[in-house]
Amino acid sequence: MKYFLITILIYSSLSAQSVILKGNISKAPVNTTSPAVKKALQSQPPFPSNPEPLEWYSSTTLVDQQVAPNVYFAFDINTEKRMMQNKHNMSTTMYVIGKKGVLVADTQPTKRVNEELLELIREKTSLPILYIVNTTPQGDHHYGNMFFPKETKIIQHEETAKMIMSPEIFAENKAFISTLADPKDLEEIIPREADILITKQNSTLKIDLGEKIIEVKHFGGLQNEGDLFVYLPQDNVIFTGNNGYTSYPAFGGPWLFRGNINQYISSFENLLKFIPKDAMILPGHGVPTSVKIMDINLKYLKDFKLKVEKAYKSKVSVDNAVLDITKEMEKEYGGFATYKMFQDLNIRSFYEAQNKKKIE
């Protein structure tokens, strides 16, 4: 087993045992995708109100925007146009250049788009790409890891790492991403193991890139148990991954993959307590935005909680709850291409979690 010496400063909230530096992650068992997630994916096309062919991940062009000194945000050139059409957008990447090297937050899903990303980085600097932080286990945010130099260290939360290295979850996720890209572009994709694992909940990993301090933060379970955020205190910028989603004029919505609505809300409140009100939000999909989008996400979660708990306690069937709650919330939160899908997923995930509690 290989161990690496790296330049990392650790906050007092993160014990020395909370970061594992290793070349091979644990092969501990991990829960596979829940029946609720499978049902939501199978019950309707992934983007039911979007009739266009969904191979734009393979045909898009990546561009970047400087959002702070030596801080860049990369996204699809057609992002704003697609947003105004209420359509889904490809994943984004943030990269930060310090005196010692580069840190990348999330990679792209296909080889071609990652080549564009690497070209954008190399236009700015020849310094080594030291780290990649994966904020989520969803494939469109980490498939590109394999195309980066072998010397680049991959940082993940241990729960994310377990999901990425689970053959069943990886296969299911790859099948889903295949609805967004030409499947041929994904044939060569294999998971790349993490080098640095964050193992503690509600913790901060502080990295010194050389005149750029980066905080990799965990606020608790959100979409997934191991979701991470990348905060730049000197620039007041935070990369949110999938827990920030710019989809104006419609609402992209949080995705309740794990079914624990109370933990999701609690963790989201922890996140909002931390983020400065004037911070720039770099979302996992979309364009740079303000904290307002995070406030809207929290409001949705609380509104959703009231309705889904009422339906469950009233013994409304899950299928009827999907129909009723989706219709009730559509005026305020509907209109976006994925609205019906994430409502279906969220309601089924909640019901599944409640039924599991009864059994236990």
Side-chain angles (χ1 to χ4, degrees):
M1 184 174 294
K2 298 181 292 183
Y3 290 81
F4 305 100
L5 296 176
I6 58 176
T7 306
I8 291 186
L9 306 175
I10 301 178
Y11 273 157
S12 58
S13 63
L14 184 59
S15 69
Q17 291 78 31
S18 299
V19 177
I20 302 176
L21 314 181
K22 55 194 294 186
N24 296 287
I25 70 166
S26 168
K27 297 299 190 299
V30 59
N31 290 330
T32 57
T33 302
S34 72
V37 174
K38 293 178 180 178
K39 174 70 174 177
L41 295 179
Q42 295 168 357
S43 64
Q44 55 188 305
F47 303 100
S49 62
N50 183 359
E52 68 175 340
L54 293 174
E55 295 184 355
W56 44 268
Y57 260 128
S58 300
S59 59
T60 188
T61 299
L62 201 67
V63 295
D64 64 7
Q65 171 185 345
Q66 184 170 356
V67 296
N70 291 319
V71 180
Y72 297 86
F73 185 63
F75 52 95
D76 173 26
I77 194 171
N78 293 312
T79 293
E80 290 186 284
K81 177 182 178 181
R82 293 181 63 83
M83 283 170 54
M84 297 308 297
Q85 296 172 341
N86 290 332
K87 294 178 179 179
H88 184 64
N89 273 296
M90 67 175 282
S91 52
T92 64
T93 296
M94 178 184 76
Y95 63 94
V96 184
I97 304 171
K99 292 293 184 181
K100 301 174 184 177
V102 181
L103 179 142
V104 173
D106 285 351
T107 56
Q108 292 293 316
T110 69
K111 181 178 181 180
R112 183 188 63 80
V113 184
N114 278 282
E115 288 174 345
E116 291 183 353
L117 174 59
L118 286 164
E119 184 177 343
L120 291 172
I121 295 172
R122 287 298 166 231
E123 288 174 358
K124 318 294 189 306
T125 183
S126 59
L127 289 170
I129 301 172
L130 298 176
Y131 309 109
I132 292 171
V133 178
N134 293 134
T135 63
T136 172
Q138 270 67 60
D140 50 333
H141 299 263
H142 70 80
Y143 284 173
N145 291 359
M146 65 180 290
F147 303 113
F148 279 73
K150 64 180 181 181
E151 296 80 13
T152 302
K153 301 297 181 282
I154 310 297
I155 302 173
Q156 297 168 357
H157 193 280
E158 65 173 348
E159 294 302 323
T160 291
K162 288 177 183 178
M163 292 182 72
I164 289 174
M165 298 311 295
S166 161
E168 183 174 355
I169 291 179
F170 186 82
E172 290 171 352
N173 192 258
K174 195 171 180 180
F176 175 60
I177 302 300
S178 293
T179 67
L180 307 175
D182 186 337
K184 292 180 180 179
D185 290 341
L186 301 177
E187 289 177 355
E188 63 184 318
I189 301 296
I190 57 174
R192 178 169 167 178
E193 290 185 326
D195 303 292
I196 303 167
L197 300 181
I198 296 175
T199 63
K200 189 175 181 180
Q201 302 293 304
N202 301 300
S203 56
T204 299
L205 177 66
K206 190 173 182 181
I207 301 175
D208 182 5
L209 274 186
E211 298 186 10
K212 278 292 184 185
I213 301 299
I214 297 173
E215 298 177 2
V216 181
K217 304 186 75 72
H218 182 263
F219 293 97
L222 288 153
Q223 264 195 8
N224 305 280
E225 191 65 40
D227 287 347
L228 296 175
F229 297 77
V230 184
Y231 179 58
L232 311 178
Q234 296 156 296
D235 305 298
N236 201 21
V237 170
I238 186 165
F239 182 81
T240 64
N242 271 347
N243 286 290
Y245 200 125
T246 312
S247 53
Y248 294 128
F251 173 72
W255 297 60
L256 191 66
F257 285 117
R258 298 176 306 103
N260 191 336
I261 186 66
N262 291 323
Q263 185 180 21
Y264 204 149
I265 290 173
S266 175
S267 299
F268 218 96
E269 288 175 336
N270 290 339
L271 167 66
L272 284 175
K273 286 177 185 176
F274 169 79
I275 300 176
K277 292 300 181 183
D278 60 347
M280 177 185 289
I281 304 296
L282 301 182
H285 296 265
V287 296
T289 186
S290 69
V291 176
K292 180 182 178 182
I293 190 64
M294 310 303 283
D295 293 330
I296 295 172
N297 281 352
L298 181 59
K299 182 179 185 301
Y300 163 82
L301 288 169
K302 290 182 176 180
D303 290 350
F304 173 82
K305 178 178 184 292
L306 290 174
K307 294 184 182 298
V308 76
E309 284 183 343
K310 180 180 178 181
Y312 187 83
K313 290 176 182 177
S314 301
K315 301 187 184 305
V316 176
S317 72
V318 64
D319 290 333
N320 285 336
V322 167
L323 294 174
D324 295 345
I325 296 173
T326 299
K327 184 176 181 180
E328 288 174 25
M329 300 184 73
E330 188 166 11
K331 183 176 181 180
E332 184 168 2
Y333 299 106
F336 192 59
T338 59
Y339 171 71
K340 291 182 179 179
M341 183 186 178
F342 75 71
Q343 283 288 81
D344 188 300
L345 174 95
N346 292 351
I347 294 164
R348 293 183 189 282
S349 291
F350 176 85
Y351 266 66
E352 180 185 306
Q354 297 304 305
N355 292 338
K356 185 177 179 182
K357 283 183 182 179
K358 282 186 176 181
I359 295 173
E360 294 174 348

